[in-house]
Amino acid sequence: MSSRDGYSWTQAQGLKAGVPCIGAIQPPTNVNPTTPQTFDVVVVGAGYCGLTAARDASLSGLKVLLVEGRDRIGGRSWSSNIGGYPFEMGGTWVYWGQPNVWREIMRYQMQDELEVSYDFTKGINKFILTNAEGSQKLTHDEEDAIMESGLCKLVDVDGHLGKNIMPFPHSATFTPEALEYDRVSVADRIAEIKDSLTPNERIGVEAFVLLCSGGTLETTSFFEFLHWWALSEYSYDGCIRYLVKYKFRGGQSTFATRFFREALATGNLTYAFNSPVASVGDAKDGVTVATRDGRRFTAAKMISAMPLNVLNCVEFNPPLMAGKKTAADTGHVNQCIKVHAEVRNAELRSYTGISYPNNRLCYALADGTTPAGNTHIVSFGGQHNHFHPEEDMQVTLNALQGLVPMDIERVVFHNWSKDEFAKGAW
């Protein structure tokens, strides 16, 4: 099965839209058009939020309709499968310290289906840091020292690496001292500490923050970065473990299909893919969800699992609450670019690198070995130097070469910024 989402490129075939995906659903709907039906609940959006809602409601005995604009499940976390290898197109890494995610991994007994992304025992022990002055070849121990030192300087607002001002990061209640930083951008904070950072530390800190936020230093909330840091146990090592170390051996779509299959097995789930929603009307007698092609579905209740940045593409009657409308108008800043390269360089299996601020892709790491024996490199860029990879493949190839010289077999990516059902990354 294939999805119309995503792109792949090879020298022989050029750029092709659409990639194989086990999360593509066939048939695309099981709605019976000859039998009008009123549902207990309509769930709009088949990412993990919508899949969880649809599954739990179905298991509770409710009649559920799942409506999704795409031809697949998974939303902004999905994997292609090219040549027997999963390329993660969006959200990727999981960890037992992520409570909601780990609950679901244990539910489906997938804890033994994880693997470590990087393997520094293979290839050359190489961290390449590139800026306008040139490239430095460092070891991973030197990389860790630079990153840990720089990030600790960034977050040490209380003399205890943020532990005092944000002692309970899983709580919605924050200390007054922490909330003061909600008015501060990362650019503001770096300006405060710039004299204490070495040149390499500053490059590392800025690139890492941009990797996390997908925004710019000026639009990234320093408070939110402190929150990420606290949730990752107040350490650089914790950030690596929580955010970029463990992934599903078979890809995110092997996880998402478990949710969908469990819901379908109840007999209570009806679904309609390729069904973008145009409007939602909420009246005393129930909710009416209308699709762009004119179909109308009615239910007692509706759950919206649509991303924030697309809410303004749907007409709500009555309108969204003022706070939600303001949030939708503002949007989130994550416009991260993620590009995969399958390369013939076996020695790059231990590669990590930063190329900043001039390169269009600023952060990368070797993330696996394909069945063909090639090295898989995943790279990231952000709003500070934004581009659309499919618009000019030579620009994309140049950006990959700007990270480290590589012999490219294949390029795979999904442009989240131009995706009408995302308008921004995970």
Side-chain angles (χ1 to χ4, degrees):
M1 293 180 289
S2 291
S3 171
R4 62 178 175 269
D5 284 347
Y7 293 88
S8 64
W9 174 92
T10 63
Q11 187 70 52
Q13 297 184 337
L15 185 67
K16 296 177 64 176
V19 296
C21 176
I22 65 170
I25 302 301
Q26 290 293 334
T29 183
N30 64 352
V31 173
N32 186 342
T34 64
T35 307
Q37 186 176 358
T38 297
F39 298 91
D40 294 313
V41 60
V42 175
V43 178
V44 179
Y48 280 119
C49 179
L51 289 174
T52 304
R55 179 201 64 193
D56 290 355
S58 298
L59 288 169
S60 298
L62 300 174
K63 295 298 181 183
V64 179
L65 173 65
L66 177 63
V67 179
E68 167 60 51
R70 307 182 188 277
D71 56 10
R72 59 171 182 81
I73 58 175
R76 289 172 288 174
S77 291
W78 71 287
S79 51
S80 68
N81 196 298
I82 300 173
Y85 185 84
F87 292 91
E88 297 283 16
M89 310 299 272
T92 301
W93 292 280
V94 298
Y95 185 55
W96 42 93
Q98 300 168 0
N100 297 321
V101 174
W102 195 251
R103 176 194 66 205
E104 302 296 345
I105 290 174
M106 293 300 296
R107 179 190 188 100
Y108 296 119
Q109 292 296 288
M110 294 183 70
Q111 66 271 26
D112 293 329
E113 297 184 29
L114 303 183
E115 65 180 9
V116 175
S117 280
Y118 50 83
D119 184 354
F120 293 160
T121 67
K122 298 178 181 178
I124 298 172
N125 182 12
K126 185 184 293 186
F127 169 62
I128 299 179
L129 193 154
T130 302
N131 61 13
E133 281 71 50
S135 295
Q136 303 170 60
K137 295 182 180 179
L138 306 170
T139 67
H140 292 303
D141 287 341
E142 291 172 318
E143 172 190 10
D144 289 345
I146 291 168
M147 298 303 299
E148 182 167 4
S149 176
L151 288 170
C152 285
K153 291 175 182 177
L154 179 72
V155 301
D156 195 18
V157 294
D158 55 6
H160 293 86
L161 301 178
K163 296 174 185 176
N164 285 359
I165 68 163
M166 201 174 287
F168 298 107
H170 286 93
S171 171
T173 301
F174 295 98
T175 65
E177 293 82 5
L179 289 173
E180 286 298 314
Y181 291 102
D182 198 29
R183 302 180 179 89
V184 176
S185 72
V186 169
D188 295 332
R189 174 59 179 168
I190 289 177
E192 289 178 0
I193 65 167
K194 65 182 189 320
D195 293 338
S196 71
L197 294 170
T198 68
N200 282 352
E201 286 173 349
R202 182 158 182 175
I203 290 171
V205 164
E206 292 189 2
F208 189 81
V209 168
L210 295 173
L211 171 69
C212 291
S213 76
T216 66
L217 297 176
E218 292 74 22
T219 59
T220 299
S221 162
F222 181 53
F223 171 85
E224 196 59 35
F225 187 81
L226 285 173
H227 194 195
W228 276 55
W229 176 264
L231 287 167
S232 299
E233 298 179 350
Y234 310 93
S235 72
Y236 173 63
D237 178 64
C239 286
I240 296 300
R241 284 183 285 110
Y242 274 74
L243 305 177
V244 74
K245 188 170 184 177
Y246 302 99
K247 64 178 182 176
F248 290 110
R249 189 176 297 110
Q252 281 281 339
S253 291
T254 62
F255 189 35
T257 55
R258 306 292 181 96
F259 293 69
F260 185 74
R261 289 172 185 166
E262 185 177 6
L264 202 59
T266 66
N268 293 324
L269 179 67
T270 303
Y271 63 86
F273 288 83
N274 299 319
S275 301
V277 169
S279 65
V280 176
D282 189 6
K284 290 183 178 179
D285 57 349
V287 180
T288 299
V289 175
T291 59
R292 292 180 191 171
D293 59 9
R295 288 171 293 158
R296 298 171 68 84
F297 301 105
T298 58
K301 298 288 183 181
M302 176 264 202
I303 296 172
S304 170
M306 292 180 280
L308 176 69
N309 283 9
V310 304
L311 287 180
N312 281 339
C313 298
V314 177
E315 179 184 350
F316 289 90
N317 185 24
L320 292 174
M321 295 169 56
K324 290 184 179 181
K325 177 60 177 167
T326 299
D329 290 342
T330 303
H332 67 70
V333 302
N334 193 328
Q335 300 294 328
C336 183
I337 301 162
K338 183 178 185 181
V339 178
H340 300 276
E342 181 182 353
V343 305
R344 301 180 186 95
N345 313 76
E347 73 278 6
L348 291 180
R349 183 61 186 88
S350 293
Y351 160 78
T352 61
I354 291 173
S355 184
Y356 174 83
N358 299 311
N359 199 38
R360 291 183 181 272
L361 295 169
C362 65
Y363 214 106
L365 70 148
D367 194 30
T369 303
T370 69
N374 292 325
T375 300
H376 165 219
I377 290 176
V378 58
S379 63
F380 300 87
Q383 273 188 314
H384 72 287
N385 210 347
H386 199 268
F387 72 110
H388 299 291
E390 75 280 10
E391 291 184 352
D392 189 333
M393 279 306 301
Q394 192 57 55
V395 170
T396 303
L397 295 171
N398 290 345
L400 288 166
Q401 298 292 355
L403 293 162
V404 63
M406 58 181 79
D407 183 7
I408 299 173
E409 170 82 18
R410 186 188 318 274
V411 178
V412 186
F413 58 90
H414 184 138
N415 188 340
W416 293 106
S417 295
K418 279 195 170 184
D419 183 327
E420 66 170 325
F421 304 123
K423 297 192 176 184
W426 47 92

